Amino acid sequence: MLTPKIPPPDTAPTPGTSLVPPLTGLVHPAACTCHHTPNVPGPVPAAPPARPAVQFTPGSLLVAAAGGTAVVLVVGTVLVSMLLATAITAASVAICAVVLRSLLNRPNNR
């Protein structure tokens, strides 16, 4: 049941042959049958002198610094507010748990 099924030796391909016959006799026609000379491009104009991609001026540096500071302050404010909301939620859940525990442990002492 678990032994591999090997084909009989007369139908098994030999290592030197392929199951796919080779493609022979295919002839591709030329892309263009007209008889003209190809267009030769003219001289390439010289590239303009390279200059730096970004030029910082004192004003742009000031704007970049102010923008970075604003982003840091906004992200910090959001993260602190999320932490504060989590802390308040945890404290209120703890208070509710203490109250429920005291109510369920002493039902006759009310």
Side-chain angles (χ1 to χ4, degrees):
M1 183 172 112
L2 298 176
T3 58
K5 305 286 189 232
I6 300 174
D10 58 337
T11 60
T14 59
T17 62
S18 172
L19 295 177
V20 180
L23 298 175
T24 57
L26 294 178
V27 177
H28 295 288
C32 178
T33 58
C34 55
H35 302 286
H36 66 285
T37 59
N39 291 337
V40 178
V44 178
R51 55 180 232 200
V54 178
Q55 294 179 350
F56 287 114
T57 62
S60 65
L61 286 176
L62 184 64
V63 168
T69 304
V71 166
V72 167
L73 289 176
V74 168
V75 170
T77 303
V78 169
L79 291 177
V80 167
S81 65
M82 289 172 60
L83 180 64
L84 184 62
T86 305
I88 291 172
T89 304
S92 63
V93 167
I95 291 171
C96 289
V98 169
V99 169
L100 283 175
R101 183 177 151 197
S102 68
L103 288 175
L104 291 175
N105 281 339
R106 294 182 271 149
N108 295 331
N109 294 341
R110 284 192 248 165

